[in-house]
Amino acid sequence: MARILILSSWVAHGHVGLSAAAPALQALGHEVTQLPTTVLSNHPGWPHVAGAPVPVGQIEGMIGALDANGWLMAQDAFLVGYMPSPDHVALAVGLARRMRKAGVRVVVDPVLGDLPGGLYVPQEVAETLRDALVPLADLLTPNLFELGWLTGAPLETLAEARAAASGLLNPDAEVLVTSAPVGPRRTGVLRVSGEAAQVFAVALREGVPHGVGDVFSALVAGGLSPGLALGQLSALIEASLDAPHLRIASAAPDWTRAAPLTPTEI
């Protein structure tokens, strides 16, 4: 069992952000402490949505209470997800520094945007995250668009993605690029660590609900290898095709037992 602290968005209905990451980890027997950066009724892609960012001062108060109770640093990993403002990024930076000093592994899912729409956070949020938070990550999980935005590089091939990911690395850090350009009707994860690189390829599927990236980042933050995390995620996707939300709970007897995928060295 791993203990994971997650700082990200939360929705009352559906599975994105914390509401995807936490139940997926809990289904595997892990212990999750949740700090919401924004509280919404549901994913903004639905016709109606209500809610707002959680004030930074309120989150700081929650962090203080967790610390006073002796729970804050009793973690194996700290996962950072959606940040609604530069002040929220600054909060994440301060907490990540504290966690790293205590020996806690820092995982950053740089939630910035995706293709074809591009950025869906304010430019200042993206810049602050790139400049201040990304360098603190022990493990970074950008999608292909986010990797390109963070590095300013055009990414159309695996070789270009590998070079861009290598440029983001700190010593001993690792980058897992989701939605990697594997080939026609294929996608997957590109793993770059030091001089080594691997690719885990899967079929590109239609009708996949929101929250897939949140689950993947949570699984690797929980200590799963990229191959096992992607194997379990692929099984969850297969069980959730054309559903309004990921079937994290109802399909748990199957996806939690899925076999790991085998990588190809590149």
Side-chain angles (χ1 to χ4, degrees):
M1 181 195 76
R3 297 164 297 179
I4 303 98
L5 173 67
I6 307 178
L7 178 69
S8 190
S9 59
W10 181 90
V11 296
H13 183 75
H15 293 301
V16 293
L18 278 170
S19 300
L25 286 167
Q26 289 163 342
L28 294 171
H30 300 305
E31 187 176 297
V32 185
T33 301
Q34 305 177 49
L35 288 170
T37 56
T38 188
V39 173
L40 299 175
S41 56
N42 46 265
H43 186 275
W46 292 94
H48 307 285
V49 61
V54 178
V56 168
Q58 184 174 331
I59 304 173
E60 289 174 337
M62 295 170 67
I63 291 170
L66 292 172
D67 197 16
N69 287 328
W71 301 326
L72 183 64
M73 294 300 171
Q75 308 293 331
D76 298 299
F78 173 44
L79 171 59
V80 182
Y82 177 75
M83 299 288 109
S85 78
D87 288 342
H88 286 83
V89 179
L91 172 72
V93 167
L95 188 51
R97 286 174 176 158
R98 290 179 65 186
M99 290 294 186
R100 293 195 79 198
K101 189 174 181 179
V104 176
R105 181 166 169 254
V106 174
V107 180
V108 176
D109 182 11
V111 182
L112 302 177
D114 204 351
L115 296 173
L119 283 179
Y120 47 63
V121 298
Q123 182 84 12
E124 190 178 1
V125 170
E127 291 174 353
T128 307
L129 190 148
R130 177 194 62 200
D131 298 340
L133 184 58
V134 165
L136 297 176
D138 297 303
L139 175 61
L140 192 69
T141 63
N143 62 34
L144 190 65
F145 166 80
E146 290 161 344
L147 177 64
W149 194 93
L150 290 170
T151 60
L155 306 178
E156 296 183 0
T157 67
L158 273 177
E160 290 171 341
R162 177 180 181 175
S166 296
L168 282 175
L169 286 174
N170 292 317
D172 302 320
E174 182 173 288
V175 180
L176 299 175
V177 184
T178 61
S179 64
V182 176
R185 304 301 303 164
R186 304 283 285 172
T187 186
V189 170
L190 170 65
R191 180 186 192 182
V192 180
S193 178
E195 298 298 319
Q198 300 172 316
V199 64
F200 300 81
V202 296
L204 185 64
R205 305 305 302 268
E206 302 292 337
V208 179
H210 294 292
V212 167
D214 301 306
V215 171
F216 180 75
S217 296
L219 295 182
V220 293
L224 274 67
S225 69
L228 182 54
L230 192 55
Q232 293 186 343
L233 181 61
S234 297
L236 175 58
I237 289 171
E238 189 69 27
S240 306
L241 292 176
D242 297 318
H245 308 289
L246 290 170
R247 291 177 170 145
I248 294 174
S250 61
D254 296 321
W255 72 260
T256 58
R257 294 179 173 85
L261 299 188
T262 302
T264 299
E265 304 290 332
I266 62 170

